[in-house]
Amino acid sequence: QQKKSEEHVPILLISFQLHIATEEEHVRNSALLQRAKRSWVWNQFFVLEEYTGLEPLYIGKLHSDMDKGDGSIKYILTGEGAGTTFTIDDSTGDIHAIQRLDREVKAQYILRAQARNRLTDRPLEPESEFIVKIQDINDNEPRFLDGPYQATVPEMSKIGTSVIQLTATDADDPTYGNSARVVYSILEGQPYFSVDAKTGVVRVSLADMDRETRENYTVVIQAKDMGGQLGGLAGTTTINITLSDINDNPPMFDQRLYQMSIPESAPVGSVVGRIWAKDRDIGVNAEMKYSIIDGDGRDTFDISTDPTNLFGIITVKKPLNFENKPSYTLKVEGANTHLDPAFRHRGPFKDVTIVHVSIEDVDEPPQFDLPAYYVELPEDAEIGTMVKTVSARDPDAANNTVRYSIDRSSDPDKYFYIEITSGSLMTVRSLDREEVGWHNITILAMEMNNPTQIASVSVAVRVLDVNDNPPSLMHYLEAYVCENAKAGQLIQTVTAVDPDEPLGGQHFYYSLAPEAVNNPNFTLKDNQDNTAWILTRRGGWSQQDQTVFYLPIFISDGEQPVQSSTSTLTIRVCSCDQEGNVMSCNAEAYSLPASLSRGALIAILACIFVLLVMILLMLSLRTHRKKPYLCDEEENVHENIVRYDDEGGGEEDTEAFDIAAMWNPREAHHHLGKMRQDMLPEIESLSRYVPQACVMGGGSGDSNVHGYVLAKLLEADMDPCAPPYDSLQTYAYEGEGSVAESLSSLQSGTSNTDHEYDYLNDWGPRFKKLAEMYGVLETNSPPLW
């Protein structure tokens, strides 16, 4: 059955009409086991997607043959979308879509329908299932889900070389019409690339595309449905295609000749310069390997590739010398390391250039003829013996004069001296192998014209041994003999030491000194192994008879010149037990008491010494206090000060000093050694009291001033700590009571009147010079000079 909706949308409705017997008939016929014939009508409905009408879309109609049209049957719809997407008229069974249907979202809905008695709500039919299928329309354009794309193809690729395959997806139903049949085309990128209309494979369409000319291309591909027909929907995408590099370009040096220079002082491994064989290719196709294939500098220089494998680094392989060879020429080849067999015909993939290296002259330090010197010298060499003559020269063309010296830090004790011009090393002190066996001397060579150019060399001086030390007893210089010792008993084994070290080893010879050869008490036996035994010659030893014996032992060595010495062995007589252990010796009488240790005695002596030092120091300080202060501090010189509390009072000054004291020599008769009593000035208090200086008496009858002054002079001459002094007079104010008034300029500005100094002529010969300067000269006075 076919029905149109109000919008004239055709709906195909297929109805199946089944006879459903009434319940009573069913019960009645159940006994006959007859199959009940149902009369349920249901359809498989088809509806187009994307309906845009204002009214609900009519889907179809459900109908039961039991429906008499009186409204007694109620139709119920359940399943997917029932009540939300689809609704049913429960009286008529008409089904409508109340939402927009999209096949790409859901292609079909499964629903269930049932007819019930409206009054009793009893099912009249069994529940049945039906399907609503959504029919596709072309409402989705093709899409490139992975775009935009990146692709790479080698440069110089042949036509038809595949670059990338694109696939566009169309959400429409591929089984219904041409809505999902896609056709590909190229919109941008011709004539370099093309696309297969069916497969979407992008291919090279232009031969010999060169990356070095153009590297990147942008291609736009379109996918259109409906088989590309008019009215179809289309989608586009972009492909960024990059030409990958291949080794199709040979390298080439940017210079045919390189000029380089390097100082001759450059150490091995120093970089001379860099060269570059440029290659238009990139990556591994541009990597180079450089080599020196010819030239006179192949053995002097080396070349390597830098970490980028692009540049050639020329380095010094051997030491350079401007004086020997000032320049070198190198023929350098640069070649690609990765070759493409398909492009060998474009080769050769290498290039050659010339490198000229100039050696710069440098003022070099002197060079010694040997890197080090070794000398052997006997320790008995005389002072002034020439040890070695070193030689150094200036390697430069100037060949400056060289002067020699010793680095004093290598010879702090100054055993050696070097002649400054000849380089002869000599001894200036006696050598002693036992004190210093090796001398490592550093000799310096300096250019005269350039003192900063200094070279050094080591001279190792080995001091050879000479037998110049006598042997002597080692360890024990004392021994003991027991009172119960018998004749021939061993009491001591002696050994000797010798600082010398002969090549064949030490060989000592022992014997008693000539004065002890006939010694009745002891004898000596040389064991011929550098040891000797001291044996008793008798028995019957007693501390009461003799407690100490002295045995002189003569020792000599076996080297030339033979050295010998005599050592005295002290042998004490001791009381021993049966096993020979010492119990007591005579030396114990002089030993310290058991209660007082040696350390305690030393401490007591130290304390006594400290007390003595302190007492001497106190006495010294007390003596210094009695001496005049002038003996310690020369700066604190002070004089006999006669103090005044008035100034310049003329004859009134006699108040401050009683001159009558000078006429009384009895006041000055004192002992010779008495020190003078000088007084320090007291500025705050000027007293009229003036202490009289003490003078040594000359004679009771001398009562004049002249004698007094001579006594004072004698006292000053005899006192080593008191140089002669003048009397210093201090004035508190100026000029009062004096005819001359003030002689200073302190108050001269207070008076504006001119001073007359004629009265100076009346003061006597002592003021004659002053009168001539300020006063009026007399007409009959003689000339001043």
Side-chain angles (χ1 to χ4, degrees):
Q1 185 178 8
Q2 186 177 8
K3 183 177 182 180
K4 295 183 179 180
S5 65
E6 292 77 3
E7 289 77 17
H8 307 287
V9 179
I11 300 298
L12 178 61
L13 181 61
I14 302 175
S15 301
F16 294 89
Q17 205 165 25
L18 300 177
H19 174 73
I20 301 176
T22 61
E23 188 176 356
E24 292 80 1
E25 292 176 345
H26 179 70
V27 174
R28 187 171 54 250
N29 296 330
S30 62
L32 301 176
L33 298 177
Q34 293 181 356
R35 184 175 182 179
K37 185 173 65 173
R38 295 185 301 171
S39 182
W40 173 257
V41 179
W42 65 281
N43 297 335
Q44 182 173 358
F45 302 105
F46 294 88
V47 59
L48 290 176
E49 65 174 334
E50 303 295 345
Y51 170 70
T52 58
L54 299 178
E55 298 295 330
L57 175 64
Y58 180 73
I59 302 298
K61 184 179 180 65
L62 298 179
H63 180 72
S64 175
D65 58 357
M66 297 180 64
D67 187 0
K68 305 301 183 179
D70 55 0
S72 61
I73 294 179
K74 179 182 179 181
Y75 296 97
I76 299 174
L77 183 66
T78 59
E80 296 176 342
T84 57
T85 303
F86 303 100
T87 60
I88 188 172
D89 188 334
D90 62 354
S91 298
T92 63
D94 292 330
I95 301 174
H96 291 81
I98 59 175
Q99 288 188 357
R100 183 178 177 179
L101 302 177
D102 189 354
R103 190 202 67 83
E104 286 71 37
V105 176
K106 190 172 181 61
Q108 65 179 16
Y109 296 85
I110 300 176
L111 299 170
R112 293 181 297 278
Q114 191 176 36
R116 289 179 174 271
N117 188 293
R118 188 177 295 274
L119 297 178
T120 62
D121 199 31
R122 294 178 62 185
L124 302 178
E125 301 270 353
E127 187 178 62
S128 295
E129 186 178 83
F130 65 96
I131 298 174
V132 177
K133 289 190 174 182
I134 312 302
Q135 288 184 331
D136 183 49
I137 63 173
N138 190 19
D139 59 344
N140 292 278
E141 73 278 2
R143 296 179 180 272
F144 294 93
L145 301 181
D146 298 328
Y149 298 87
Q150 303 288 335
T152 302
V153 64
E155 63 175 332
M156 299 295 174
S157 295
K158 297 179 180 180
I159 296 176
T161 301
S162 176
V163 180
I164 189 173
Q165 183 176 10
L166 305 181
T167 300
T169 59
D170 195 324
D172 294 325
D173 189 358
T175 63
Y176 181 76
N178 295 327
S179 298
R181 190 161 69 88
V182 177
V183 174
Y184 300 93
S185 62
I186 185 168
L187 301 183
E188 183 180 338
Q190 303 95 337
Y192 309 105
F193 301 95
S194 61
V195 65
D196 188 286
K198 293 183 178 180
T199 62
V201 176
V202 179
R203 302 180 185 275
V204 175
S205 60
L206 184 64
D208 297 333
M209 287 191 294
D210 191 1
R211 185 203 65 83
E212 287 73 34
T213 302
R214 182 178 176 183
E215 184 176 5
N216 298 308
Y217 296 85
T218 300
V219 178
V220 178
I221 301 297
Q222 181 189 69
K224 191 174 183 181
D225 59 13
M226 298 299 292
Q229 297 177 5
L230 187 64
L233 303 178
T236 61
T237 191
T238 300
I239 310 173
N240 295 315
I241 300 177
T242 301
L243 297 184
S244 60
D245 184 63
I246 63 173
N247 194 6
D248 59 339
N249 293 280
M252 183 175 296
F253 285 100
D254 54 356
Q255 293 180 224
R256 294 292 96 187
L257 176 64
Y258 288 85
Q259 294 284 353
M260 300 179 182
S261 63
I262 188 169
E264 63 175 333
S265 59
V268 174
S270 300
V271 175
V272 180
R274 185 177 73 168
I275 61 175
W276 183 22
K278 293 184 179 179
D279 195 328
R280 299 179 64 193
D281 300 318
I282 61 174
V284 296
N285 298 317
E287 291 183 359
M288 304 295 299
K289 180 180 179 181
Y290 297 90
S291 59
I292 300 175
I293 60 176
D294 200 1
D296 56 2
R298 284 187 297 177
D299 297 333
T300 308
F301 299 94
D302 198 4
I303 191 169
S304 60
T305 306
D306 76 325
T308 63
N309 294 322
L310 297 178
F311 301 95
I313 308 299
I314 299 176
T315 55
V316 178
K317 187 178 181 181
K318 290 183 178 180
L320 305 175
N321 192 315
F322 172 82
E323 289 71 28
N324 293 342
K325 191 172 179 58
S327 64
Y328 296 86
T329 300
L330 307 174
K331 188 177 182 180
V332 181
E333 179 186 80
N336 283 138
T337 57
H338 297 81
L339 300 179
D340 192 336
F343 293 92
R344 286 187 180 273
H345 63 280
R346 291 175 174 259
F349 287 85
K350 57 185 178 181
D351 196 16
V352 177
T353 189
I354 302 298
V355 180
H356 184 267
V357 181
S358 299
I359 308 303
E360 299 175 356
D361 188 21
V362 175
D363 190 5
E364 300 173 280
Q367 292 181 353
F368 287 92
D369 54 358
L370 292 176
Y373 296 88
Y374 172 77
V375 182
E376 291 183 348
L377 191 66
E379 61 178 326
D380 61 349
E382 296 181 358
I383 296 176
T385 302
M386 190 177 71
V387 180
K388 186 71 176 179
T389 299
V390 299
S391 177
R393 67 175 186 86
D394 182 9
D396 299 315
N399 195 18
N400 293 320
T401 304
V402 177
R403 294 292 181 261
Y404 303 92
S405 63
I406 297 177
D407 184 356
R408 282 306 167 192
S409 63
S410 65
D411 185 26
D413 296 327
K414 299 182 180 180
Y415 282 95
F416 300 92
Y417 164 78
I418 191 168
E419 211 285 321
I420 188 171
T421 57
S422 64
S424 298
L425 185 65
M426 296 174 289
T427 61
V428 293
R429 286 182 58 184
S430 298
L431 303 179
D432 188 355
R433 187 203 64 83
E434 288 72 37
E435 182 179 348
V436 181
W438 283 87
H439 295 271
N440 293 314
I441 311 300
T442 300
I443 305 298
L444 305 177
M446 179 184 68
E447 291 184 15
M448 282 289 293
N449 295 343
N450 189 358
T452 61
Q453 296 298 330
I454 301 176
S456 62
V457 70
S458 176
V459 179
V461 180
R462 180 186 179 187
V463 182
L464 300 179
D465 185 42
V466 174
N467 191 25
D468 57 348
N469 292 280
S472 60
L473 285 182
M474 179 177 63
H475 301 305
Y476 305 105
L477 292 178
E478 288 192 5
Y480 69 93
V481 59
C482 294
E483 290 181 321
N484 56 2
K486 299 179 181 179
Q489 183 172 337
L490 174 67
I491 63 172
Q492 183 68 52
T493 300
V494 295
T495 59
V497 292
D498 192 337
D500 298 319
E501 293 181 1
L503 296 178
Q506 298 284 5
H507 298 282
F508 299 125
Y509 301 94
Y510 302 88
S511 64
L512 292 178
E515 64 272 18
V517 172
N518 298 321
N519 188 305
N521 301 311
F522 303 97
T523 185
L524 181 145
K525 179 183 179 182
D526 191 340
N527 298 323
Q528 302 299 319
D529 60 353
N530 292 338
T531 65
W533 288 351
I534 306 299
L535 304 173
T536 58
R537 278 188 171 182
R538 65 177 177 86
W541 303 94
S542 174
Q543 296 185 30
Q544 297 178 355
D545 297 338
Q546 187 174 350
T547 59
V548 178
F549 295 89
Y550 298 98
L551 184 67
I553 301 175
F554 179 80
I555 310 169
S556 65
D557 53 23
E559 294 295 322
Q560 294 297 329
V562 176
Q563 300 288 339
S564 62
S565 67
T566 300
S567 300
T568 300
L569 180 66
T570 302
I571 304 175
R572 299 185 182 277
V573 179
C574 299
S575 299
C576 303
D577 56 13
Q578 296 297 328
E579 297 179 357
N581 298 320
V582 176
M583 298 177 61
S584 65
C585 292
N586 189 43
E588 291 182 358
Y590 301 95
S591 63
L592 296 175
S595 60
L596 185 62
S597 64
R598 186 182 301 272
L601 180 60
I602 293 174
I604 293 172
L605 293 176
C607 292
I608 294 173
F609 176 75
V610 172
L611 289 175
L612 291 175
V613 171
M614 293 180 63
I615 292 171
L616 291 176
L617 182 60
M618 293 175 64
L619 292 176
S620 176
L621 291 175
R622 182 171 297 178
T623 303
H624 281 290
R625 288 178 182 176
K626 292 180 179 181
K627 291 182 179 181
Y629 184 73
L630 293 173
C631 296
D632 297 326
E633 294 293 338
E634 195 171 0
E635 292 84 6
N636 293 333
V637 175
H638 59 276
E639 295 138 346
N640 289 332
I641 299 175
V642 180
R643 294 181 296 180
Y644 297 81
D645 56 0
D646 54 7
E647 184 186 13
E651 297 302 327
E652 299 175 5
D653 292 343
T654 55
E655 296 182 20
F657 187 84
D658 187 3
I659 198 168
M662 299 181 68
W663 295 94
N664 189 5
R666 288 189 300 272
E667 298 292 335
H669 291 171
H670 298 283
H671 298 288
L672 179 64
K674 188 173 182 178
M675 306 299 293
R676 53 189 288 180
Q677 301 295 323
D678 295 343
M679 295 183 64
L680 295 176
E682 298 179 2
I683 303 300
E684 298 177 359
S685 174
L686 296 176
S687 172
R688 292 181 176 270
Y689 171 75
V690 179
Q692 301 301 314
C694 299
V695 299
M696 54 179 288
S700 59
D702 191 1
S703 61
N704 56 18
V705 177
H706 182 262
Y708 174 79
V709 173
L710 290 179
K712 292 291 292 183
L713 179 60
L714 180 61
E715 179 185 0
D717 292 339
M718 297 299 294
D719 191 351
C721 297
Y725 299 101
D726 296 329
S727 295
L728 176 66
Q729 298 182 358
T730 305
Y731 297 87
Y733 58 91
E734 288 191 305
E736 292 186 6
S738 173
V739 177
E741 297 183 347
S742 176
L743 297 181
S744 74
S745 60
L746 296 178
Q747 297 179 354
S748 62
T750 59
S751 174
N752 296 327
T753 60
D754 294 335
H755 295 280
E756 301 215 357
Y757 301 97
D758 294 341
Y759 56 86
L760 293 176
N761 294 320
D762 301 332
W763 285 16
R766 305 176 90 181
F767 293 90
K768 181 178 182 181
K769 188 69 175 177
L770 189 62
E772 292 173 353
M773 295 175 61
Y774 289 91
V776 179
L777 293 175
E778 298 180 358
T779 57
N780 57 355
S781 61
L784 297 177
W785 55 80

